Amino acid sequence: MGQAGLVGFMNVSIVMLIIGFTVLLLMVKFELGPMSRLSAGRRWLMTLVLGSGMVAFSIKLALIATFVHFPEQTIRQQIAMRKSPALVTWDSGKFAAAEQPVVQVQKPYEWRALPGVAPAPAWNPTTPEKVALGERLFHDTALSIDRTVSCSSCHDVRNGAGEDHRPSSTGVGGQVGNRNAPTVWNAAFQAVLFWDGRAASLEDQAIGPPLNPVEMGMPSAEAIEQRVRADVSYREPFARAFGADRPITIRQIAAAIAAYERTLITPDAPYDRFVRGDDKALTTAQLRGMELFQSVGCIQCHSGPNFSGASLFDPPPSTQRLFPVFDSPEYMKRYKLNKDPGANAPGSKQAVWRIPSLRNVALTAPYFHNGSVDSLPEAVRIMATVQRGRQVGSGTNGVRAVVWSKQDRTIARNDTAVLSDRDVDDIVAFLKSLSSDTLAARNGNGG
Ligand code: HEC
Ligand code: HEC
């Protein structure tokens, strides 16, 4: 039985109540009155006392009938309808159809903070010995053919935000690759790695760069093992991390680097403090941006504590997406965003990419797989346009309408409103709240 049924039931109850009350009045006047020999005034008083008793009893009966006959969901909706404000304002605009009651039909999106520990696979638990060894390997140029490049050359974790601020990185012999170096901070929370999501774990990933001819240029896994074995100062740390009497293997090298990377996490951003209960951690602009991030639909892809549907938080993760979803020839041409099809078949018009995490994004310009966009507001405008089909512009911010379907009992927001420059700024302000304070301080500008 739906809401209509419940409303009908209530109406019938009220009519019955009025009829009952009238019958009682007539009875008191014509039956009880003459018998009781009371004065006219007292007769009315008696009617009132008996009548209100009866009204109370009827209400009780009606409530019992309601709770017995109607599903909990229906009653909750009724209560929600009564509680909702009749008119919701949104900055200058007003919600159209505001006289319609607003009913919450879905469980709202839950915002979550990043945990303080990154999960590790059972075969490679994170130990202090492995982490220390992994840190040394990560910064060791011996893993590259001409001993000039280490992981940290492109992922500066000691002084930077885990990347190199270049559109695409420079590897051995000054060779320039064709993709932007993503930050390694919080990569430990991603279910798949690389822009196209082709690596399934940090352990798998760690062997890639040393063997990549453009990055570190080592000819083979054996060559990497030889390099590390040749350095006697590695013997003791490997023995401590993996047990003595075992030759150093590529698997151990990868395991140690991965263990170190699992400590490169930033659960200390203002956003995390806000979600954990510090009301003052976000500014008003950031709060507006947080709401927009949800209502514009960024959370459809950049979801969960790592702001990526490709992270380990919501199994099974949904890792890759079309980019662009909505065509924008202008943006595509200006930034050559659909030259590289990513994980899609070569020559495809629409590319497929792993959903990147947006943590520390304000510190990791330039943006996108090809590093073609320098400014974060521009990246946000592109995303709103090509991933959400929204118009972005200054000035005319039209009326945002709430569309309530009486028939389906669903609510949606009319998506045609132009996102203003201020909306974009608010989203950018919110994205800055995802920056670790420690990393932002290094950058010198808080993002
Ligand atoms: C020459 C620069 C360069 C070097 C050296 C380098 N990387 Fe990278 N790294 C990149 C680029 C570029 C990508 C993205 C490549 C892609 O997606 O196709 C990347 C991606 C990654 C990712 C994936 C991050 C994510 O969000 O998916 C991790 C983790 C990583 N590198 C770790 C390492 C480690 C560990 C080393 C050393 C063993 C290393 N990198 C060496 C440039 C480099
Ligand atoms: C349909 C899924 C989807 C939606 C919706 C979406 N994004 Fe993205 N986002 C992606 C993908 C995929 C990429 C990676 C694109 C690439 O590889 O160049 C990305 C990249 C980004 C980047 C660049 C990250 C970097 O490190 O270079 C930013 C910033 C971003 N998105 C913000 C947003 C914002 C803000 C919204 C809401 C207006 C949004 N996204 C909506 C899927 C989505």
Side-chain angles (χ1 to χ4, degrees):
M1 227 177 299
Q3 290 163 8
L6 185 53
V7 171
F9 179 83
M10 293 288 195
N11 290 344
V12 170
S13 312
I14 290 168
V15 171
M16 297 297 279
L17 219 73
I18 292 170
I19 293 175
F21 198 62
T22 317
V23 169
L24 184 84
L25 274 182
L26 295 175
M27 273 169 62
V28 172
K29 176 113 178 98
F30 296 108
E31 303 283 331
L32 212 58
M35 264 165 60
S36 63
R37 275 176 275 132
L38 287 174
S39 70
R42 296 211 168 178
R43 247 183 257 163
W44 282 118
L45 193 71
M46 190 159 105
T47 311
L48 268 183
V49 172
L50 283 177
S52 47
M54 183 164 163
V55 168
F57 189 64
S58 315
I59 289 174
K60 223 188 218 170
L61 278 183
L63 279 178
I64 291 170
T66 309
F67 284 109
V68 168
H69 291 294
F70 292 87
E72 195 187 343
Q73 195 51 34
T74 316
I75 294 167
R76 283 237 181 102
Q77 280 181 2
Q78 290 293 316
I79 293 168
M81 275 172 87
R82 253 139 266 270
K83 272 196 194 154
S84 344
L87 197 82
V88 191
T89 55
W90 177 272
D91 291 344
S92 54
K94 270 184 194 156
F95 280 116
E99 61 285 351
Q100 296 278 5
V102 179
V103 181
Q104 191 73 55
V105 281
Q106 268 175 348
K107 191 174 178 288
Y109 177 74
E110 187 193 342
W111 297 85
R112 285 174 290 164
L114 205 60
V117 178
W123 71 270
N124 188 26
T126 312
T127 63
E129 293 77 19
K130 263 188 243 168
V131 171
L133 173 61
E135 178 168 14
R136 185 171 160 197
L137 289 164
F138 193 91
H139 293 87
D140 193 344
T141 53
L143 295 190
S144 66
I145 188 74
D146 61 0
R147 297 179 185 269
T148 58
V149 176
S150 72
C151 306
S152 62
S153 308
C154 303
H155 304 286
D156 182 5
V157 288
R158 285 194 177 143
N159 308 303
E163 42 81 76
D164 56 8
H165 286 312
R166 297 190 186 148
S168 42
S169 312
T170 308
V172 285
Q175 298 180 83
V176 179
N178 53 7
R179 285 186 189 166
N180 176 256
T183 179
V184 286
W185 286 98
N186 306 307
F189 291 111
Q190 292 299 80
V192 293
L193 296 155
F194 287 128
W195 282 101
D196 50 11
R198 66 185 183 279
S201 70
L202 287 174
E203 284 82 357
D204 282 358
Q205 193 281 334
I207 312 179
L211 294 176
N212 185 320
V214 185
E215 293 185 343
M216 300 166 96
M218 296 294 279
S220 64
E222 293 74 41
I224 303 167
E225 287 171 346
Q226 291 310 327
R227 274 282 172 89
V228 179
R229 285 180 196 159
D231 184 341
V232 289
S233 69
Y234 266 124
R235 284 188 196 156
E236 210 196 304
F238 267 92
R240 270 204 302 271
F242 298 102
D245 309 327
R246 289 221 243 152
I248 293 170
T249 63
I250 190 77
R251 188 175 150 95
Q252 290 173 344
I253 295 170
I257 293 177
Y260 168 58
E261 287 176 307
R262 291 202 172 92
T263 66
L264 300 174
I265 62 173
T266 61
D268 65 336
Y271 162 81
D272 299 293
R273 293 203 301 276
F274 178 76
V275 172
R276 293 199 183 100
D278 175 2
D279 298 350
K280 300 210 168 56
L282 295 190
T283 64
T284 314
Q286 288 175 330
L287 267 177
R288 277 198 303 267
M290 183 169 168
E291 193 288 327
L292 283 164
F293 194 83
Q294 173 179 301
S295 58
V296 173
C298 311
I299 51 165
Q300 287 179 14
C301 295
H302 299 284
S303 57
N306 212 27
F307 289 82
S308 165
S311 64
L312 294 168
F313 293 98
D314 295 297
S318 120
T319 55
Q320 279 129 316
R321 282 295 195 292
L322 280 179
F323 174 76
V325 175
F326 299 89
D327 199 16
S328 164
E330 197 200 320
Y331 278 140
M332 292 300 133
K333 208 174 139 222
R334 193 181 315 158
Y335 300 114
K336 302 191 170 53
L337 286 171
N338 50 0
K339 217 177 121 199
D340 183 343
N344 218 351
S348 308
K349 195 163 172 279
Q350 276 171 310
V352 170
W353 298 102
R354 187 267 320 252
I355 304 165
S357 162
L358 297 183
R359 289 215 165 244
N360 300 302
V361 73
L363 309 174
T364 61
Y367 301 109
F368 300 120
H369 60 274
N370 60 0
S372 59
V373 175
D374 289 329
S375 99
L376 189 51
E378 182 73 345
V380 170
R381 282 192 285 270
I382 293 172
M383 274 285 135
T385 309
V386 309
Q387 298 304 78
R388 298 300 300 141
R390 296 294 293 261
Q391 270 183 285
V392 185
S394 49
T396 52
N397 196 1
V399 170
R400 289 189 170 133
V402 163
V403 186
W404 162 243
S405 161
K406 242 179 170 171
Q407 205 180 344
D408 303 331
R409 297 194 302 279
T410 56
I411 195 160
R413 182 195 273 210
N414 178 337
D415 254 3
T416 59
V418 176
L419 279 182
S420 68
D421 289 345
R422 183 184 147 182
D423 291 337
V424 171
D425 289 347
D426 288 344
I427 294 176
V428 168
F430 172 62
L431 292 177
K432 286 185 180 174
S433 82
L434 306 180
S435 296
S436 138
D437 290 341
T438 321
L439 299 190
R442 287 179 189 173
N443 229 40
N445 60 3

